Amino acid sequence: MSDWEPKIVSFLCNWCSYGAADLAGVSRMQYPPNIRVIRIPCAGRMSPKFALAALREGADAVWVSG
Amino acid sequence: MINFKLNGKKVQGEEGQYILQVAEKYDVEIPTLCHHKALEPAGMCRLCTVELFDGRRSRFVTACNYPIWKGMEVSTNTESVIQGRKLIVEMLLARCPEVPVIRKLADEYGIDQPRFKTEDDDCILCGLCTRICEKMGNSAITLTGRGIDMKVDTPFHIQTDVCLACGACASLCPTGHITLDRIKSLITKNENVKPIPSEYDMGLMGRKPVYVPYAQAVPNTPAIDRDFCVHFKTGGCQICTEFCGVDAIDHKMEDEIIELDVGSIILAPGFESFDPSKFDSYNYANHPNVITSMEMERILSASGPSEGHLVRQSDHKEPKKIAWFQCVGSRDMNRCDNSYCSSVCCMYAIKEAVIAKEHAGDDLDCTIFYMDMRTHGKDFERFYDNAKEQGIRFIRSRVHTIDPVSGSDDLSVRYVTEDGKLDTESFDMIVLSIGLQTSPETIELAGKLGVELTPGNFCKTDTFEPVETSKKGIYVCGAFQGPKDIPQSVVDASAAASAAGEILSEARNTKTKIAEVIPETNVIGDRPRIGVFVCRCGINIAGVVDVPSVAEYAAELPYVEYTTDNLYSCSQDTQETMTQIIKQKNLNRVVVAACTPKTHEPLFQETLINAGLNKYLFEMCNIRNHDSWVHKNDPDLATEKARDLVRMAVSKVALMQPLKEAELEVNQTAIVIGGGISGMTSARSLANQGFETHLIEKGNQLGGQAVNIFKTAAGDDVQKKLNALVKEVDNNKKINVHLNSEITQVEGFVGNFKSTLKADDKEETIEYGIAVIATGASSYKPTEYSYGKDQRILTSLELDRKFIEKDKSLKNISSAVFIQCVGSREPDRPYCSRVCCTHSIDNALELKKMNPDMNIYILYRDIRTYGEREYIYREAREKGIIFIRYSLDQKPELSLNKDRIIINATDHILGRPVEIEADLVTLASAIIPNKGEALARFFKVPINDDGFFVEKHAKLGPSEFATDGVFLCGLAHYPKPIDESVSQGRAAASRAVTLLARKNIFTSGTIAATAPMHCSSCGVCVSICPYSAPSFTEEGPFTGKAEINPLLCKGCGLCVASCRSGAIHLNGFDNDQIFEQIFNVM
Amino acid sequence: MLGYIDKIKKISKRLLQESRVDMVIGFRKGTMPMMNEPCFIKNPDDVDTLVWDSHCGINLANYLTNRKEKIGIIAKGCDSRNIVTHIIENKISRDQLVIIGVPCKGMVDKRKVSSKIEEEIQDTSEKDSQIIVKTRAGETALDKAEVLQDNCLTCIHRNPAIYDELAADLVEEQKDIDRYEDTHTIEAMSSEEKWKYFEDLLAPCIRCYACKNACPLCYCPTCFVDESKPQWVGKSQDTTDIRTFHFLRAFHCAGRCTDCGACERACPVGINMRVFTKKLEKDCLDQFGWEAGLSLDDRPPLDTYRPDDPENFIK
């Protein structure tokens, strides 16, 4: 299990967190490549169904930020 | 092309390339210590030795400088090559046993201890430094001596002025032998050996001579700093041109003079922050832990030198105690010439203290040393109260000296507490809250333009025309007009734009170009044909992500018809190529894997439009900001992530449908509700810009609160100027003034409002495109201090009335008392009314002018004469007006004793009770907003706990509402003096004109829509939408089901996520599209 | 509670006779013991069919969805709260309804009764605070408090929240009870324990959807479990799909559920899916001070947008 890497599906609000992730890139902040970003127009768009679907599809964690 | 074999595989290289270059291309790793892409290879370290078979025999050559030739066979990893390298590493290790990079190599080759005698050198004589120095055009250093005496040195071992201390050698040195210190002590005569201070990071970090000023800079292209670029000094280097993939660098570019023919000029040169170096006693220049507030901003910033981790500069320790010193370079005639208040420092110091605690934890001790706490902005007083609750200490004391604590990096300060005791305390860090001042360059510019300045070197303006300079046609905004914070600067900016717009309204649309419309191809029902364009972004993406393999991978995905990779997808020529490809390959969906859609989506959507595709048949995936830039050290995983992201985008785009953007005609009429100063200014500005305007006033005259005001702090006769403004409004043919009128109903939305206007008993309907709310405020009628029980106890406005009416009895008063904060800054009304300090002082001075012998007392909590209003505070003290401070828990007491008015307070300096007998008491009563609930409901705009309207954005949208087409100005927003009301009136007009000037507005395509068959009419969407977009259908087969007004919908998806019945779809972010992305994550 | 029925009949008869309503929705004796069933009385002469005892647990609000008639409805505390929710959510309008409020003392859980009696139960009756169970072997008296539905044990809204007529005097509400004892227990578990707990809890589920069909909150034209584009949840007996169904059902009830117990009562395999809805009910109370169905003026917290919503969960 030592080389196990989690898969994280993240739902980021277009206006804040997605932009923040952009800025993290611009600032060259390094972080592990385990997340896959899905851009949503607002954290309010997030539905529990998406979280459950991601977990069902095999994600180890779901991260909603907005 | 030259074909040869590398490790048994056929490879290709170009004529003139060396083995190492080709190996790099094929991902064959060859170790080297002396190679750099920008320099001619020298074969110095021998580590890149490979085995070459020329058909007859094998021999060893250095890969970095051996040119390739047809048919050669190169092996990089044979046993003998490895043994040879091992020996080289062993010898290097013997020479430099402490150098990390050599130690690492030794570990790789399994060498524990060298068999040779060890030395303690740290130079491996790779020659990178000497070669780069030569490339820089200097040759200040070279390899001197021979054999074992060889070393890097200057000629004759003398420090040289040939060396420019550019630092190129230090940046390339692989072992750390050459450092800036070494350059300073052994190589250069140049005194200034340090990294180029980054302006953005306030010198806390270095930057390069080729740089982007800061991450969000616009334009975001790098610039070359001529002052530091070595090329401009020696003619050498130009390495940047060799590396730039698009030949964008031209060192021969010259400054150009461009002449522009303009009708108006707006000055927005900003301010410079005060340099506290000249305050010797603060030790700012000498002690690293005394910093400015601007430096503190960078330290607290996530993009700052310590990535938001709060550490002090001297030893990078986390501070436990920080102090802020207010008024550094402000309100100071003693140590500097800035006698004005900089307006913003109190608030930013509190903000920094709060954020510092957020970053460092609650244990951090934050102390703010101040004179008067000036939190006069909207919601600032609450922030101040909260900061006190969070344990931030506020000490009213101006500290003279900061002493370093010997034996540590701490700082000691001595200060006098409010009760007169001398205290000594030490801090880990001290932040100087530096003030704002106009830069010498701006003063020079003003001189050239002939624009007059104030005593504080700000641009001189009139209270009633706060953005007009002394020169017609030249306007001003921001901190050059006077020290101010962001919201006020934004208000000014809009106001200046509006002022310029007024004089240029005839020229509007005379320089407009109309774009050619390309007919849209109908793709509905067609099988998706997806084109995937993977961007290299120079080396930004391709340097980490294997772009060709991502493109290859994309080609295998369902519905993908075409893939390619571009060097720069956003470049003009690539855009044209993409347009051609879309047409040729008959693509109907496009994915661009590149940077962020937040900046580049509109550009690529334009490309789609040019290719005849609906712009929503597009999806971007972010393999730069979210991938290559943040996973630099993990190219394999970054490539895998890029593939995943492309797969997700392809799966989504296949489900994208062409979307329509509804078009709406804008009714070019405006209404302004409220006929006070801000409302009238707004109406005048709208009318002067050519728009029919209804000005609605519920009272029987125009003028609002200004009718009651005598004069301004700048000395303007308010009644005179007000009458002129009223006249101007009355005479303006485009303004319809409705007195005694009220709005009783509002229907519609941006561009098409419809209202019922009730005047007396008559009702009329008006239609308009935008509305400005300027409903104002009024004076609080005090219940305290025996107000109403004695005619000599007045509110500020009642005293003004006496001045206006030239009441002679005022002259005979022998003792006048002003009591501040009556009804403001109280638990029930926790805001500062902003204008009262200035107002009372101004009136006190007026009384003093009438009768210089009059005793005048101002009882206050903090004097808030922000900006250049500070001058009258000074004048008042000079003229003998006595200021007595009181606190909220020890308010002055007023008693009526027969016909005497007695006021008891405690003198804050003597700490003794004082008794004052007054002939006149003026209560600086609070400004309370007029009731706006009905309008708030009509226009769906919010009101805060204090009753003021809530603007779109506290900083960036102060004069508009989140609801499109509704704007805000004046006291209805927050208490403010006349000049700021005028500015905001114009600002609201300016924001409104951005809509009115467009004849049509388009909605976004990415909005929600209902499927009425699935709707259960539960009303969640109607209730939850912040923009009131959903409503129940009123007629037809789907009566009672929800529908969404596309003009009001902002596409946030709140309703979609909240709809239990799954009846709402969000175009562009629909459930099936997001699900498809989720399914394709893994 | 036995005395209520005469009043209920009287009121119902009057309402029907005066044509104030087109029908009265109430309970009649079921074909099985302890299983009273809902009935629609349209004729004033039929009111004698109506019954009222401790076996009227079914939530009658369920039968109001999208009705067009004028309806008299018998409402316990929980029914009345669901009627409020129905009105707020436009499932029925207030003026269509005459609500006959019935102050409730708790409904009997027939499973609890059965578990205490070994033989087949033929009939039951009530006397004071006892349930008399009749089997072939004879009669057994059970303390009613011991066989109440779990949700009734922790109910603090026994009296109807809204009513036009009352079938009896209001009863005293239960005090000093820990309504969320079970929720606290689960919250205190470690992740592993929770996982095990929920795994065991949902293991018997056969996805018959009885819980959702019994729930007055489930009235969408197409339920998410039946949608195919997108397919929110798979149709299989896969444990993930079963969990997804239960979680989503619970989320749809957040801020609306009155803990009437209809779901648990309907479940043929005895799953206590109320643990999900109760957790959300507790969260709504903690975070928004909200309890469903108490006011016609306010929408549930998850239906409203407020920029100043509590956001303590954001770290």
Side-chain angles (χ1 to χ4, degrees):
Chain A
M1 283 297 275
S2 62
D3 56 354
W4 175 79
E5 290 285 339
K7 281 250 182 187
I8 301 165
V9 179
S10 55
F11 294 87
L12 304 186
C13 162
N14 179 47
W15 305 104
C16 56
S17 306
Y18 193 92
D22 281 350
L23 194 56
V26 172
S27 313
R28 306 299 197 276
M29 292 173 174
Q30 302 296 304
Y31 56 83
N34 301 49
I35 68 161
R36 299 292 178 267
V37 173
I38 294 176
R39 181 166 72 122
I40 50 176
C42 168
R45 174 70 185 91
M46 187 61 199
S47 161
K49 294 160 192 166
F50 295 153
L52 289 169
L55 295 172
R56 198 177 59 204
E57 291 300 312
D60 298 297
V62 174
W63 171 37
V64 186
S65 183
Chain B
M1 280 294 168
I2 291 172
N3 294 308
F4 66 100
K5 274 188 178 168
L6 182 64
N7 289 343
K9 283 184 191 152
K10 284 182 193 165
V11 294
Q12 270 191 341
E14 278 167 43
E15 180 84 44
Q17 278 189 314
Y18 301 114
I19 296 171
L20 191 66
Q21 286 169 299
V22 180
E24 212 163 61
K25 187 173 123 192
Y26 286 91
D27 276 344
V28 173
E29 208 189 318
I30 301 173
T32 171
L33 287 168
C34 71
H35 181 71
H36 187 272
K37 280 188 278 190
L39 298 172
E40 273 303 303
M44 297 291 279
C45 72
R46 318 305 291 176
L47 210 56
C48 65
T49 301
V50 293
E51 194 172 347
L52 170 71
F53 182 67
D54 61 11
R56 286 186 301 152
R57 61 191 177 90
S58 280
R59 60 195 165 108
F60 292 103
V61 296
T62 42
C64 68
N65 62 352
Y66 190 88
I68 55 170
W69 46 270
K70 193 179 168 197
M72 68 198 275
E73 289 178 32
V74 177
S75 305
T76 67
N77 52 5
T78 61
E79 188 53 33
S80 47
V81 166
I82 290 169
Q83 283 308 319
R85 277 191 209 141
K86 188 172 174 178
L87 183 64
I88 295 165
V89 172
E90 192 175 356
M91 289 194 285
L92 287 172
L93 184 67
R95 181 184 171 91
C96 309
E98 301 297 327
V99 169
V101 64
I102 307 289
R103 186 65 253 172
K104 191 165 167 264
L105 272 171
D107 292 343
E108 276 171 32
Y109 284 91
I111 307 161
D112 186 27
Q113 280 295 318
R115 289 166 293 171
F116 313 106
K117 189 174 147 238
T118 56
E119 296 165 37
D120 61 351
D121 206 335
D122 58 358
C123 175
I124 55 167
L125 297 174
C126 67
L128 276 173
C129 53
T130 59
R131 280 179 287 148
I132 194 77
C133 192
E134 190 181 349
K135 178 99 182 171
M136 291 292 133
N138 282 333
S139 298
I141 46 172
T142 185
L143 290 169
T144 66
R146 309 188 68 169
I148 57 164
D149 292 328
M150 190 189 258
K151 62 178 178 182
V152 173
D153 204 350
T154 54
F156 309 110
H157 192 61
I158 303 170
Q159 275 181 264
T160 171
D161 49 15
V162 173
C163 173
L164 301 172
C166 71
C169 49
S171 73
L172 251 53
C173 179
T175 62
H177 172 68
I178 300 198
T179 58
L180 288 186
D181 284 342
R182 192 180 184 89
I183 295 172
K184 194 170 185 176
S185 60
L186 294 172
I187 299 174
T188 190
K189 277 190 181 169
N190 197 318
E191 296 281 300
N192 193 20
V193 185
K194 61 172 188 195
I196 307 165
S198 153
E199 291 82 356
Y200 178 59
D201 279 305
M202 300 291 139
L204 298 173
M205 284 214 274
R207 65 154 169 88
K208 294 181 173 181
V210 186
Y211 71 114
V212 177
Y214 50 95
Q216 305 93 322
V218 178
N220 208 267
T221 38
I224 296 175
D225 186 339
R226 276 177 198 244
D227 292 341
F228 290 101
C229 172
V230 173
H231 174 71
F232 289 100
K233 296 178 176 164
T234 67
C237 189
Q238 290 193 290
I239 293 173
C240 54
T241 50
E242 291 169 33
F243 281 89
C244 178
V246 288
D247 280 340
I249 302 169
D250 176 7
H251 286 93
K252 293 199 183 68
M253 270 169 98
E254 291 287 335
D255 288 346
E256 271 179 89
I257 292 177
I258 300 169
E259 280 191 23
L260 296 173
D261 198 7
V262 299
S264 168
I265 297 172
I266 295 173
L267 302 177
F271 65 92
E272 64 171 20
S273 44
F274 178 77
D275 176 7
S277 309
K278 58 175 131 174
F279 290 5
D280 294 341
S281 63
Y282 279 170
N283 272 307
Y284 168 70
N286 309 323
H287 202 294
N289 294 337
V290 181
I291 61 169
T292 66
S293 44
M294 293 295 275
E295 288 165 342
M296 188 64 173
E297 291 283 329
R298 295 310 304 148
I299 290 171
L300 292 173
S301 168
S303 66
S306 48
E307 292 176 347
H309 185 60
L310 179 55
V311 290
R312 64 180 189 181
Q313 293 304 294
S314 70
D315 50 9
H316 293 271
K317 253 183 19 197
E318 291 177 4
K320 297 269 171 281
K321 275 180 87 176
I322 308 180
W324 278 258
F325 284 9
Q326 297 309 105
C327 301
V328 178
S330 309
R331 301 180 69 188
D332 191 349
M333 295 279 283
N334 187 19
R335 298 197 285 181
C336 71
D337 296 330
N338 298 344
S339 61
Y340 52 83
C341 159
S342 289
S343 301
V344 301
C345 328
C346 285
M347 193 56 196
Y348 77 57
I350 304 176
K351 176 203 74 178
E352 287 183 356
V354 168
I355 295 177
K357 274 175 102 73
E358 270 172 23
H359 285 211
D362 263 347
D363 299 340
L364 182 71
D365 183 311
C366 293
T367 308
I368 297 178
F369 289 91
Y370 71 104
M371 304 206 293
D372 288 287
M373 190 41 65
R374 295 188 169 172
T375 46
H376 47 271
K378 190 172 185 176
D379 286 331
F380 289 6
E381 188 74 15
R382 274 199 175 81
F383 198 84
Y384 174 35
D385 290 340
N386 289 340
K388 281 188 277 192
E389 256 173 48
Q390 285 175 41
I392 292 167
R393 286 194 293 155
F394 290 85
I395 298 177
R396 198 187 289 267
S397 180
R398 193 170 204 174
V399 187
H400 182 272
T401 308
I402 299 173
D403 292 315
V405 175
S406 65
S408 82
D409 291 344
D410 299 348
L411 299 150
S412 164
V413 298
R414 281 203 307 162
Y415 62 93
V416 182
T417 60
E418 277 200 79
D419 44 15
K421 274 196 300 200
L422 192 65
D423 230 333
T424 307
E425 202 174 337
S426 69
F427 293 93
D428 298 324
M429 240 173 108
I430 289 174
V431 183
L432 305 177
S433 296
I434 48 173
L436 280 53
Q437 63 188 20
T438 306
S439 71
E441 294 80 13
T442 303
I443 295 171
E444 195 190 324
L445 174 71
K448 276 187 200 156
L449 293 169
V451 165
E452 282 177 47
L453 300 179
T454 65
N457 279 330
F458 295 100
C459 186
K460 193 170 176 184
T461 55
D462 182 281
T463 308
F464 279 74
E465 291 298 352
V467 294
E468 288 189 12
T469 68
S470 57
K471 192 112 176 176
K472 202 166 162 30
I474 301 184
Y475 302 98
V476 60
C477 59
F480 180 40
Q481 197 263 2
K484 62 188 54 157
D485 59 0
I486 295 171
Q488 195 55 39
S489 298
V490 172
V491 167
D492 272 10
S494 295
S498 202
E502 285 178 45
I503 58 167
L504 298 178
S505 67
E506 278 177 25
R508 177 172 298 130
N509 295 335
T510 51
K511 300 210 166 183
T512 312
K513 281 184 197 159
I514 293 166
E516 185 197 352
V517 180
I518 290 146
E520 197 174 293
T521 320
N522 181 10
V523 303
I524 294 174
D526 291 355
R527 186 178 192 278
R529 295 176 57 85
I530 304 170
V532 181
F533 298 85
V534 188
C535 186
R536 308 178 77 93
C537 195
I539 57 161
N540 278 304
I541 295 169
V544 178
V545 171
D546 182 352
V547 169
S549 89
V550 174
E552 254 169 57
Y553 172 78
E556 303 299 317
L557 294 169
Y559 303 115
V560 173
E561 295 294 329
Y562 178 83
T563 64
T564 188
D565 59 272
N566 303 321
L567 184 58
Y568 288 102
S569 303
C570 57
S571 68
Q572 186 75 40
D573 53 330
T574 312
Q575 297 286 292
E576 276 156 28
T577 317
M578 278 172 69
T579 311
Q580 291 312 318
I581 290 170
I582 293 169
K583 285 183 186 162
Q584 278 165 14
K585 304 280 174 189
N586 207 9
L587 303 177
N588 58 19
R589 305 281 191 287
V590 174
V591 169
V592 174
C595 50
T596 169
K598 287 187 73 73
T599 55
H600 280 68
E601 191 171 58
L603 180 84
F604 293 117
Q605 288 187 326
E606 196 65 29
T607 312
L608 262 71
I609 293 169
N610 289 335
L613 278 184
N614 181 286
K615 73 177 196 186
Y616 294 98
L617 299 167
F618 173 71
E619 183 68 15
M620 240 184 126
C621 71
N622 195 336
I623 60 169
R624 188 185 73 180
N625 300 45
H626 292 189
D627 192 7
S628 67
W629 276 352
V630 290
H631 310 312
K632 257 190 279 191
N633 303 322
D634 232 334
D636 291 344
L637 289 174
T639 304
E640 190 187 315
K641 183 172 176 179
R643 283 194 205 111
D644 290 353
L645 292 173
V646 167
R647 184 176 62 241
M648 289 159 70
V650 166
S651 68
K652 182 182 178 189
V653 85
L655 294 170
M656 293 299 256
Q657 292 298 325
L659 302 177
K660 276 218 179 72
E661 298 185 339
E663 188 179 352
L664 166 88
E665 241 177 75
V666 177
N667 183 327
Q668 308 253 305
T669 311
I671 64 161
V672 177
I673 307 163
I677 289 221
S678 62
M680 282 192 291
T681 317
S682 201
R684 182 185 63 177
S685 188
L686 286 161
N688 284 348
Q689 293 183 72
F691 302 101
E692 197 77 25
T693 304
H694 295 277
L695 179 58
I696 294 153
E697 167 58 44
K698 71 172 180 208
N700 58 5
Q701 63 169 349
L702 294 175
Q705 287 301 325
V707 168
N708 303 314
I709 299 172
F710 172 50
K711 71 181 207 19
T712 68
D716 304 88
D717 181 336
V718 173
Q719 296 313 308
K720 205 169 115 192
K721 297 223 168 174
L722 179 65
N723 288 338
L725 178 60
V726 171
K727 203 174 226 173
E728 209 183 325
V729 166
D730 273 334
N731 293 341
N732 194 315
K733 287 198 182 107
K734 290 212 179 258
I735 301 178
N736 305 305
V737 178
H738 303 263
L739 295 176
N740 302 312
S741 300
E742 268 185 277
I743 299 254
T744 55
Q745 203 204 337
V746 177
E747 281 172 30
F749 38 81
V750 55
N752 290 284
F753 287 107
K754 194 168 165 187
S755 278
T756 310
L757 188 63
K758 197 173 164 212
D760 300 324
D761 291 331
K762 281 179 290 180
E763 283 196 351
E764 71 174 301
T765 304
I766 49 172
E767 293 183 5
Y768 51 97
I770 67 97
V772 176
I773 295 182
T775 47
S778 50
S779 168
Y780 165 67
K781 292 283 166 246
T783 54
E784 49 269 73
Y785 301 116
S786 303
Y787 177 77
K789 293 191 183 135
D790 190 303
Q791 290 188 345
R792 292 167 297 174
I793 302 172
L794 310 171
T795 63
S796 304
L797 288 180
E798 286 164 352
L799 176 61
D800 273 32
R801 179 56 51 199
K802 284 188 185 289
F803 283 127
I804 294 170
E805 286 163 1
K806 300 201 168 63
D807 189 331
K808 295 228 171 57
S809 66
L810 291 173
K811 256 186 206 166
N812 305 325
I813 289 165
S814 62
S815 168
V817 173
F818 290 82
I819 302 177
Q820 298 304 107
C821 297
V822 178
S824 304
R825 301 180 65 197
E826 296 271 355
D828 288 348
R829 213 173 284 112
Y831 61 87
C832 164
S833 294
R834 193 170 173 109
V835 303
C836 340
C837 285
T838 310
H839 196 180
S840 291
I841 294 174
D842 196 35
N843 280 350
L845 283 168
E846 194 63 27
L847 289 172
K848 205 76 182 167
K849 205 160 74 187
M850 287 179 166
N851 176 3
D853 295 330
M854 193 186 298
N855 290 318
I856 303 179
Y857 306 88
I858 297 184
L859 275 47
Y860 72 103
R861 288 170 58 194
D862 291 278
I863 288 292
R864 294 183 167 175
T865 45
Y866 57 97
E868 291 190 282
R869 290 164 180 84
E870 182 72 9
Y871 304 156
I872 65 162
Y873 179 30
R874 195 179 70 233
E875 188 190 342
R877 281 173 295 159
E878 283 166 1
K879 294 219 162 121
I881 292 168
I882 294 167
F883 288 82
I884 299 172
R885 196 174 60 242
Y886 72 88
S887 61
L888 188 59
D889 51 10
Q890 215 176 356
K891 286 192 205 172
E893 277 167 21
L894 185 147
S895 49
L896 297 172
N897 191 346
K898 291 179 190 158
D899 56 345
R900 295 170 67 208
I901 305 175
I902 308 292
I903 292 154
N904 287 294
T906 306
D907 184 283
H908 62 281
I909 297 170
L910 303 172
R912 296 249 173 93
V914 288
E915 186 178 289
I916 307 165
E917 182 169 352
D919 304 329
L920 173 73
V921 176
T922 307
L923 305 178
S925 67
I927 293 179
I928 48 174
N930 290 334
K931 290 233 174 305
E933 283 77 9
L935 280 180
R937 219 171 39 248
F938 291 159
F939 288 106
K940 292 152 189 137
V941 294
I943 289 183
N944 72 12
D945 290 343
D946 302 325
F948 295 105
F949 283 99
V950 180
E951 61 275 36
K952 180 179 186 176
H953 189 284
K955 305 283 173 209
L956 303 175
S959 316
E960 60 215 89
F961 286 103
T963 307
D964 282 342
V966 192
F967 304 89
L968 170 68
C969 59
L971 300 179
H973 163 258
Y974 190 67
K976 53 176 68 74
I978 290 175
D979 51 351
E980 292 171 13
S981 291
V982 171
S983 277
Q984 206 178 15
R986 270 203 158 136
S990 176
R991 301 303 303 144
V993 168
T994 60
L995 272 172
L996 291 173
R998 285 185 275 168
K999 294 202 167 56
N1000 302 298
I1001 45 179
F1002 291 89
T1003 63
S1004 165
T1006 48
I1007 50 167
T1010 58
M1013 291 293 280
H1014 286 131
C1015 175
S1016 60
S1017 306
C1018 69
V1020 172
C1021 53
V1022 178
S1023 163
I1024 205 164
C1025 179
Y1027 310 101
S1028 312
S1031 59
F1032 292 114
T1033 308
E1034 281 170 11
E1035 52 190 32
F1038 297 119
T1039 303
K1041 304 289 187 185
E1043 61 181 2
I1044 287 165
N1045 183 334
L1047 296 162
L1048 296 177
C1049 178
K1050 303 260 188 200
C1052 70
L1054 220 52
C1055 57
V1056 187
S1058 307
C1059 181
R1060 293 182 287 267
S1061 308
I1064 314 183
H1065 298 273
L1066 185 59
N1067 294 328
F1069 290 95
D1070 208 354
N1071 293 325
D1072 54 345
Q1073 292 160 352
I1074 294 179
F1075 267 113
E1076 211 49 52
Q1077 281 179 293
I1078 296 171
F1079 296 155
N1080 279 285
V1081 165
M1082 305 300 158
Chain C
M1 226 151 72
L2 288 171
Y4 294 7
I5 189 61
D6 295 336
K7 189 101 184 264
I8 291 173
K9 285 178 184 168
K10 214 168 110 190
I11 295 168
S12 304
K13 190 159 192 153
R14 171 164 51 83
L15 292 175
L16 287 164
Q17 276 169 345
E18 292 173 3
S19 295
R20 281 182 58 200
V21 298
D22 301 325
M23 64 176 174
V24 169
I25 304 181
F27 287 95
R28 69 177 173 210
K29 191 124 182 91
T31 46
M32 305 265 285
M34 299 188 287
M35 291 273 273
N36 289 343
E37 59 191 29
C39 67
F40 293 36
I41 307 289
K42 296 185 175 168
N43 188 334
D45 300 338
D46 295 344
V47 294
D48 284 337
T49 325
L50 290 169
V51 296
W52 189 265
D53 58 22
S54 296
H55 307 299
C56 300
I58 289 171
N59 192 328
L60 294 181
N62 220 2
Y63 299 90
L64 293 178
T65 311
N66 297 335
R67 303 298 304 201
K68 301 283 176 249
E69 312 88 326
K70 291 196 151 193
I71 298 169
I73 182 161
I74 317 290
K76 309 183 284 287
C78 47
D79 303 48
S80 76
R81 291 169 66 200
N82 277 104
I83 292 169
V84 167
T85 304
H86 252 54
I87 295 168
I88 287 176
E89 294 177 355
N90 305 311
K91 292 298 109 205
I92 189 106
S93 81
R94 180 69 182 90
D95 32 318
Q96 273 173 276
L97 295 176
V98 176
I99 301 165
I100 306 163
V102 183
C104 172
K105 289 179 183 165
M107 290 295 151
V108 161
D109 182 341
K110 75 174 165 56
R111 283 200 193 89
K112 283 190 186 170
V113 176
S114 305
S115 71
K116 293 185 190 292
I117 305 294
E118 295 213 342
E119 296 196 50
E120 191 194 337
I121 297 167
Q122 290 178 331
D123 199 4
T124 64
S125 56
E126 277 176 64
K127 198 178 169 196
D128 301 327
S129 60
Q130 285 194 321
I131 303 284
I132 319 283
V133 183
K134 203 171 132 195
T135 63
R136 226 171 357 178
E139 287 185 353
T140 317
L142 293 172
D143 203 353
K144 190 179 156 191
E146 281 176 17
V147 291
L148 279 185
Q149 290 184 178
D150 283 346
N151 62 310
C152 298
L153 287 171
T154 57
C155 175
I156 60 159
H157 295 290
R158 292 180 153 189
N159 291 308
I162 176 179
Y163 54 83
D164 303 299
E165 309 266 354
L166 263 187
D169 291 340
L170 296 178
V171 296
E172 200 183 335
E173 295 292 359
Q174 302 194 95
K175 288 198 187 80
D176 302 325
I177 40 169
D178 182 0
R179 292 158 72 191
Y180 300 112
E181 198 184 351
D182 47 351
T183 314
H184 290 134
T185 312
I186 299 171
E187 281 171 343
M189 289 181 189
S190 67
S191 298
E192 290 76 22
E193 287 167 340
K194 275 184 197 158
W195 187 264
K196 175 84 174 59
Y197 177 84
F198 289 121
E199 203 169 36
D200 291 348
L201 179 76
L202 296 180
C205 178
I206 53 170
R207 277 185 85 174
C208 65
Y209 298 146
C211 48
K212 97 175 163 71
N213 292 341
C215 176
L217 300 174
C218 290
Y219 52 64
C220 290
T222 309
C223 179
F224 71 91
V225 296
D226 298 323
E227 271 187 50
S228 57
K229 189 182 176 246
Q231 194 184 57
W232 301 106
V233 50
K235 312 288 185 214
S236 72
Q237 274 298 99
D238 184 273
T239 50
T240 323
D241 286 335
I242 290 177
R243 284 170 202 164
T244 307
F245 160 65
H246 280 283
F247 296 161
L248 288 181
R249 192 192 75 81
F251 275 123
H252 281 184
C253 300
R256 307 161 69 220
C257 174
T258 59
D259 199 24
C260 71
C263 46
E264 188 184 5
R265 185 184 178 85
C267 182
V269 291
I271 295 171
N272 176 16
M273 65 288 283
R274 282 174 45 248
V275 296
F276 298 122
T277 43
K278 273 191 87 177
K279 163 69 177 155
L280 294 165
E281 189 189 307
K282 174 176 167 289
D283 284 352
C284 280
L285 185 63
D286 290 349
Q287 300 206 26
F288 303 98
W290 170 264
E291 288 188 88
L294 296 181
S295 154
L296 281 172
D297 303 323
D298 298 314
R299 290 203 67 116
L302 296 181
D303 286 16
T304 53
Y305 173 84
R306 279 197 359 233
D308 58 342
D309 264 350
E311 288 179 340
N312 304 332
F313 61 94
I314 296 176
K315 295 287 173 214

